[in-house]
Amino acid sequence: MLALAAVLLSGMAQGATPDAAFARDFGDDFLDRYWAHNTDAAVSVGYYKYADRLVVPDAAARRRYLAFLDASLKKLSAIDAKTLDAGHRTDWSILKSRFDQERWYLTVYRPWEWDPSDYNVADAFAKLSNTPYAPAEERLRAISGRLSNVPAYYAAARAAVKHPVREYTQLAIEQNTGALDVFGREFEAMVASSKLSARERTRLQSRVAAARTAIADYVDFLKRVDADQGADTRSFRIGSKLYEQKFALDIQSGESAAHLYERALVEKELLHTRMAELAGELWPKYMAAVPKPADRLEAVRAVIDKIAENHVARDQFVPSVKALMPRLERWVTDHGLLTLDPTRPLEVREMPPYQRGFSMANLQSSGPYDPTAQSWYNVSPLDAYTPGEAESFLREYNDYTMQVLSIHEGVPGHYVQLMYSNKSPSRIKAVFGNGATVEGWAVYSERMMMESGWGDNAPEMWLMYYKWYLRAVCNTILDYQVHTQALTERGAIDLLRREAFQSETEATGKWRRARLSAVQLATYFSGYAAIHDFRERLKQEQGAGFDLKRFHEQFLSYGSAPVGVIKELMRPR
Ligand code: ZN
Ligand code: ZN
């Protein structure tokens, strides 16, 4: 009797139900250990328990982290995912992908060796001094503790960097030089007005001085490495093999990069054909006096340039975005696309000054650990622009593309996805959300709105929507060709300018971004294509039984899980 009871009890303790075992092994305790290894990422999600700790990125830390990943993977594979309920099963898959991905970065991809911009302490210090999550003194003490490891941090960086990529070396020089600003005048004022004791203050100041020296030394070291290496630098192109592996691990769509690339090429041709038709249709209205060029792409560009003249006055930009949001919300509801939460309308506001200058609009969501749970659609006012800059900006975000932008960032794009994601109470989903799912949904939501007749099916609206969507398609082509096919700068600029109708500034910026990242530029089209394909297949399978609204709501109910995982959950085999 007793022996039997003991067996039963130990069975219970090991997790009588797989769901209980999963919740026990991968709950808040697990995340706490994860953050203890990743103290920078912890600060960025608003988990401040380890704010005073900076992990020194040396060989010992990499060994410790690898052991942590291996132990976590072992625990995870002890649980049979098929026996978990839907919520835990998604979390299980997200963690599995995450551990595999991080393991591969650490052991195969090894950016810690060839990407010197991997080493930069600025972000966490900036967030700790700018975010009033606690009284200034408490934050300054955390900063002081974190500062004590900065010299060791950069010593480890110098030891790790071997044969780096020149583009990343130069980026690291720029960014680390900028990092010194974090301890500039505002920080000094914060220290001066704080109630730190004289001893604390002196210690903090000497640590700031030591950190400044360490950062400056790292910059000097990188300049020397760059000069010594000369032309013998590691290529920024990662090659087909690594690209496919990275694509599989980062994107998790269940299809190969080569397949997506082929698809993007076909999509580009299709878009050119559609856009040429629309340009032909619009030519008499906008270009009547001008002879139509024989080159179809030139004709498209001419019409796009003309239509872009329809834009609001600079002081009307933010108000007109504000006025658009309730219209988008009503449309989504009236056309049965999704259920919106009427108690949570999207708040549009002027972008706070410290965020300006990077992008013209963003969706700012509260971090997973932020109790305020407030989100905003930030739109940059054009105050800082010269008349010329404002004009070029307003032409880019004209009456038509401004609508696509608000669909993408707001309703039914990022904001709605986030609203649904927040309803699933899983920290794992909030913390380890998949980038291709998030961006793919936003790109898909643009198409969904156009299909439902948004913009009265006006040819101008479709043409501008296609230009916008073509950017996502060409991002994929560019990224793939840069990393696996030795695309030259001239080839890249030609693709973006002539075939995607982009401005010089936009094209040059994109070429730079393609050399400083791999796979990220493919997330937009990849996520979109996976969602769109999946929807079309379900439509075919379910025929008259297919319900668009139900599809959208069910898809979003899995949070930001990888599309491949959501597909499996929505069509159990
Ligand atoms: Zn104008
Ligand atoms: Zn986006």
Side-chain angles (χ1 to χ4, degrees), residues 519-566:
V519 176
Q520 200 279 330
L521 279 173
T523 55
Y524 304 85
F525 180 59
S526 147
Y528 163 80
I531 297 170
H532 189 267
D533 275 5
F534 180 44
R535 185 193 75 178
E536 293 307 295
R537 218 178 56 213
L538 288 182
K539 257 188 189 170
Q540 229 169 33
E541 285 172 10
Q542 297 172 4
F546 179 82
D547 183 324
L548 186 64
K549 188 178 185 189
R550 200 176 59 212
F551 167 75
H552 291 152
E553 291 177 357
Q554 203 184 348
F555 186 92
L556 291 181
S557 73
Y558 297 107
S560 311
V563 179
V565 171
I566 297 179

Side-chain angles (χ1 to χ4, degrees), residues 167-243:
E167 283 76 6
Y168 287 97
T169 309
Q170 287 169 348
L171 179 71
I173 292 170
E174 269 170 49
Q175 291 187 336
N176 275 285
T177 305
L180 295 168
D181 295 350
V182 173
F183 306 108
R185 210 169 297 161
E186 267 177 61
F187 180 76
E188 280 165 19
M190 181 183 173
V191 177
S193 66
S194 76
K195 297 186 196 80
L196 287 186
S197 71
R199 217 178 117 241
E200 284 177 316
R201 199 170 298 211
T202 314
R203 192 167 57 186
L204 176 58
Q205 275 151 355
S206 78
R207 283 175 177 174
V208 167
R212 283 176 164 282
T213 307
I215 294 171
D217 285 353
Y218 183 56
V219 169
D220 285 345
F221 161 80
L222 291 177
K223 284 179 180 164
R224 267 197 321 276
V225 169
D226 193 39
D228 290 351
Q229 259 195 166
D232 175 34
T233 165
R234 184 182 164 121
S235 171
F236 59 83
R237 305 180 200 274
I238 69 173
S240 298
K241 194 174 157 213
L242 286 177
Y243 192 89

Side-chain angles (χ1 to χ4, degrees), residues 309 311 391 395:
E309 287 173 12
H311 62 74
E391 173 64 19
R395 291 175 58 89

Side-chain angles (χ1 to χ4, degrees), residues 475-490:
N475 278 348
T476 295
I477 297 172
L478 174 74
D479 199 50
Y480 192 79
Q481 291 187 344
V482 162
H483 287 289
T484 74
Q485 299 179 351
L487 180 71
T488 61
E489 174 167 10
R490 230 176 110 192

Side-chain angles (χ1 to χ4, degrees), residues 408-409 414 438-440 442-443 446 524:
H408 179 106
E409 301 292 341
H414 287 317
V438 171
E439 286 307 338
V443 176
E446 302 159 9
Y524 304 85

Side-chain angles (χ1 to χ4, degrees), residues 68-107:
F68 169 74
L69 289 175
D70 285 340
S72 304
L73 271 166
K74 202 174 156 199
K75 259 191 191 158
L76 201 60
S77 41
I79 301 166
D80 181 359
K82 285 196 280 300
T83 59
L84 295 172
D85 65 31
H88 283 133
R89 201 164 138 205
T90 342
D91 285 356
W92 188 98
S93 299
I94 290 171
L95 285 179
K96 173 79 167 71
S97 326
R98 182 70 184 203
F99 299 151
D100 286 343
Q101 181 198 38
E102 290 200 30
R103 208 180 182 289
W104 180 83
Y105 271 71
L106 202 57
T107 58

Side-chain angles (χ1 to χ4, degrees), residues 84-321:
L84 295 172
D85 65 31
H88 283 133
R89 201 164 138 205
T90 342
D91 285 356
W92 188 98
S93 299
I94 290 171
L95 285 179
K96 173 79 167 71
S97 326
R98 182 70 184 203
F99 299 151
D100 286 343
Q101 181 198 38
E102 290 200 30
R103 208 180 182 289
W104 180 83
Y105 271 71
L106 202 57
T107 58
V108 180
Y109 197 47
R110 302 161 77 91
W112 50 272
E113 239 170 29
W114 50 259
D115 174 7
S117 74
D118 225 23
Y119 304 99
N120 191 331
V121 294
D123 273 351
F125 285 116
K127 177 139 196 227
L128 293 173
S129 46
N130 294 335
T131 314
Y133 70 91
E137 291 71 28
E138 190 181 316
R139 290 185 285 133
L140 286 170
R141 280 178 202 119
I143 287 171
S144 185
R146 177 171 271 267
L147 275 168
S148 64
N149 265 354
V150 170
Y153 175 100
Y154 281 105
R158 288 200 303 270
V161 169
K162 274 182 197 79
H163 199 216
V165 175
R166 159 160 277 176
E167 283 76 6
Y168 287 97
T169 309
Q170 287 169 348
L171 179 71
I173 292 170
E174 269 170 49
Q175 291 187 336
N176 275 285
T177 305
L180 295 168
D181 295 350
V182 173
F183 306 108
R185 210 169 297 161
E186 267 177 61
F187 180 76
E188 280 165 19
M190 181 183 173
V191 177
S193 66
S194 76
K195 297 186 196 80
L196 287 186
S197 71
R199 217 178 117 241
E200 284 177 316
R201 199 170 298 211
T202 314
R203 192 167 57 186
L204 176 58
Q205 275 151 355
S206 78
R207 283 175 177 174
V208 167
R212 283 176 164 282
T213 307
I215 294 171
D217 285 353
Y218 183 56
V219 169
D220 285 345
F221 161 80
L222 291 177
K223 284 179 180 164
R224 267 197 321 276
V225 169
D226 193 39
D228 290 351
Q229 259 195 166
D232 175 34
T233 165
R234 184 182 164 121
S235 171
F236 59 83
R237 305 180 200 274
I238 69 173
S240 298
K241 194 174 157 213
L242 286 177
Y243 192 89
E244 281 291 356
Q245 292 177 352
K246 190 169 196 291
F247 186 92
L249 290 161
D250 287 0
I251 290 195
Q252 294 277 318
S253 65
E255 77 167 343
S256 72
H259 182 260
L260 183 78
Y261 169 67
E262 291 302 327
R263 175 160 179 182
L265 290 177
V266 173
E267 194 79 343
K268 172 169 67 88
E269 281 315 303
L270 224 77
L271 284 169
H272 283 168
T273 305
R274 274 302 290 139
M275 292 172 88
E277 283 165 14
L278 289 166
E281 202 179 310
L282 290 163
W283 196 270
K285 181 171 170 188
Y286 290 94
M287 310 293 291
V290 188
K292 197 172 146 212
D295 182 325
R296 62 176 189 159
L297 297 184
E298 268 176 46
V300 170
R301 176 174 284 274
V303 175
I304 283 176
D305 283 350
K306 188 74 188 168
I307 294 177
E309 287 173 12
N310 297 302
H311 62 74
V312 296
R314 60 187 290 171
D315 61 336
Q316 284 307 301
F317 190 72
V318 178
S320 64
V321 170

